[in-house]
Amino acid sequence: MAQEEIALRAGIKLQEDDSLETALLNRDLIEVLPKIDEANAMSSELDRGVHFEVLLVSPQLLGKQLGRTEVYVRVRNLKSEQEFDWTKEKFLSRVYAMKEMYNKHENGEEWEVDEDRDPFLEDPNSEVRIGTVQVYLQPLAYMVDLKEQLEIINFKGQEAGILNVEMIPCSDSGREYTEEDNVYLDSPGELVGRDLNFVVRILHCRSLPKRFTDIRCKYRMFKDKEDTVTEAVSGTSDPDFNHTKTFSYRPATVELVEYLSDSYVAISVWGVQVEPVPAEGIRPKGRMLKQNFQEDLLNQTNVLMNGFRINGRENLRRLVESAEAHHQKRVPVSVVKDLLLVSSAEAGEKIISKLEGFDDTGRTKGSSTCTVS
């Protein structure tokens, strides 16, 4: 009952059918949801500025042909406004590290770590999936070209932009077929045993969220083991890829024709989130405030020490000139020390003026002097 209440608070109702897929999904939710509550509580207590929430992601949005709905965790950095999606396994691993950090905090031990080792944070330059489109391939099974403008759907099922893609049958030499070539088939079965060549052309994306840069697309055709990846495009939310790749199957098998007839290729769009520039006048909080304070203090110290070095040399030069002008062979060591410590010419001038009337022959016993030669 408690587990169902936790799920309802997260806006999720545990499924009640008897399928294996549902049982596995419910198991994952029961495992993850309490950990999300823990992670959010620890984040608040330690002032990490991070919020966690559960996501249910269909296999299609992951670019998979088969599979079951998977549990992901969205990580939102409240300071940078960046969002990252962690797998269940990655999140649970991070929670253990979060607990170690929190326990050290509770025990009064040193618990702060560098950002690249902070279990609450993700590398701000990590590539994230903006969304996915599904391109159904049935026209190719009839040797018909397809030209699509498709909605890019993110993990929450929301539109994240538009992608334009074309797939066009072509000859062995790469010449794209037109209506005049009359290569159209009456049924996909006619394609079995014949050579099949077609061009995949990813033209561009439009209306992507403006917070993304270094945008590129990834996809796998038929039995590809690795992704085909477009060039990354930066500095725009309307990237033009002009990506072209030719696929050849010689000959087309029954399995390939069934794939073209009944399936799709998933094209995922990826990018890197641009960190927003902090507005002027906003005071940093927590660890960032401490870091900024330390940097400012170090800079001020460097400036001050540089002043000591420069003014110290100049003041000593003027001291020698003054001593020579007054025919003084010795000057008090205390005067030299004072000159080395002052950071302005005005203060040095006051100290040097004390030499006027100094009698280097009548100094008291035990006093120290420097000889000017």
Side-chain angles (χ1 to χ4, degrees):
M1 190 66 181
Q3 295 163 343
E4 292 182 358
E5 291 178 357
I6 293 174
L8 287 174
R9 286 205 309 272
I12 295 173
K13 186 178 187 304
L14 297 179
Q15 302 298 312
E16 297 179 354
D17 64 66
D18 297 328
S19 69
L20 176 60
E21 179 177 331
T22 297
L24 293 174
L25 176 59
N26 287 344
R27 181 201 63 185
D28 289 346
L29 285 171
I30 290 171
E31 184 178 15
V32 168
L33 288 173
K35 301 297 184 183
I36 287 180
D37 284 348
E38 287 185 56
N40 282 327
M42 290 186 288
S43 174
S44 177
E45 180 69 21
L46 299 178
D47 191 26
R48 307 328 282 162
V50 176
H51 181 75
F52 303 92
E53 63 181 74
V54 68
L55 290 176
L56 299 183
V57 184
S58 69
Q60 290 77 21
L61 292 179
L62 292 169
K64 299 178 179 180
Q65 300 288 335
L66 301 172
R68 64 181 181 87
T69 298
E70 297 185 26
V71 174
Y72 272 65
V73 175
R74 172 151 295 178
V75 185
R76 186 165 190 269
N77 190 312
L78 303 178
K79 299 174 183 177
S80 69
E81 299 183 357
Q82 292 180 316
E83 295 180 343
F84 302 93
D85 298 323
W86 289 353
T87 63
K88 180 196 73 171
E89 291 75 18
K90 180 174 182 176
F91 170 70
L92 293 177
S93 175
R94 290 293 189 98
V95 169
Y96 285 115
M98 293 175 197
K99 288 182 178 180
E100 290 181 1
M101 177 183 284
Y102 181 77
N103 289 336
K104 288 182 179 180
H105 171 266
E106 287 292 285
N107 295 331
E109 303 174 22
E110 178 58 41
W111 58 275
E112 286 276 15
V113 296
D114 295 334
E115 287 192 359
D116 58 352
R117 295 174 50 235
D118 192 326
F120 290 89
L121 302 180
E122 181 65 60
D123 181 353
N125 295 316
S126 294
E127 190 176 48
V128 298
R129 188 193 303 259
I130 301 172
T132 304
V133 303
Q134 299 170 11
V135 185
Y136 284 88
L137 304 172
Q138 190 177 61
L140 293 178
Y142 291 87
M143 294 294 287
V144 175
D145 61 9
L146 63 88
K147 298 180 180 181
E148 300 281 4
Q149 178 173 285
L150 302 168
E151 294 181 353
I152 302 167
I153 304 300
N154 64 21
F155 275 0
K156 286 193 170 183
Q158 302 165 336
E159 181 181 332
I162 298 293
L163 182 140
N164 283 74
V165 59
E166 299 177 353
M167 298 187 185
I168 303 173
C170 63
S171 67
D172 291 347
S173 63
R175 183 181 66 83
E176 297 177 8
Y177 291 131
T178 64
E179 291 185 10
E180 287 73 21
D181 292 303
N182 193 26
V183 295
Y184 307 134
L185 303 177
D186 292 329
S187 71
E190 298 177 34
L191 188 58
V192 176
R194 299 173 55 175
D195 290 349
L196 171 64
N197 308 282
F198 59 88
V199 175
V200 173
R201 186 174 291 122
I202 299 177
L203 303 177
H204 52 248
C205 289
R206 293 293 181 262
S207 302
L208 296 176
K210 295 185 181 299
R211 70 177 186 274
F212 290 104
T213 188
D214 295 339
I215 300 167
R216 58 181 180 167
C217 298
K218 304 178 184 181
Y219 65 96
R220 294 187 186 187
M221 186 67 67
F222 194 36
K223 291 187 175 182
D224 286 351
K225 301 298 183 183
E226 297 181 354
D227 290 333
T228 296
V229 184
T230 69
E231 293 291 330
V233 179
S234 304
T236 178
S237 57
D238 298 321
D240 292 320
F241 301 111
N242 297 319
H243 163 84
T244 300
K245 182 174 180 178
T246 300
F247 290 85
S248 297
Y249 301 94
R250 303 173 183 174
T253 63
V254 172
E255 185 180 8
L256 172 63
V257 173
E258 290 177 348
Y259 167 77
L260 296 176
S261 300
D262 303 327
S263 193
Y264 59 86
V265 60
I267 302 176
S268 56
V269 184
W270 297 74
V272 175
Q273 298 172 89
V274 178
E275 290 190 81
V277 178
E280 292 185 6
I282 295 180
R283 181 180 176 86
K285 297 175 63 178
R287 178 172 51 182
M288 187 58 68
L289 176 61
K290 179 181 178 182
Q291 179 179 343
N292 289 349
F293 175 78
Q294 291 173 336
E295 290 177 353
D296 289 343
L297 182 60
L298 179 60
N299 290 335
Q300 293 173 17
T301 301
N302 288 337
V303 170
L304 185 60
M305 292 305 297
N306 191 49
F308 286 157
R309 288 191 292 269
I310 295 173
N311 288 305
R313 290 194 297 269
E314 178 64 19
N315 288 335
L316 286 177
R317 183 186 64 79
R318 290 163 58 203
L319 172 66
V320 172
E321 291 177 351
S322 177
E324 290 177 342
H326 292 87
H327 305 289
Q328 293 171 323
K329 296 295 184 180
R330 296 181 178 84
V331 295
V333 171
S334 60
V335 172
V336 177
K337 288 182 177 179
D338 290 342
L339 283 175
L340 290 173
L341 292 176
V342 297
S343 59
S344 68
E346 292 78 6
E349 190 65 38
K350 290 181 180 180
I351 295 173
I352 293 173
S353 66
K354 296 178 181 179
L355 287 178
E356 296 180 9
F358 172 73
D359 183 4
D360 60 1
T361 62
R363 66 184 186 279
T364 59
K365 184 178 181 180
S367 63
S368 300
T369 62
C370 294
T371 301
V372 179
S373 58

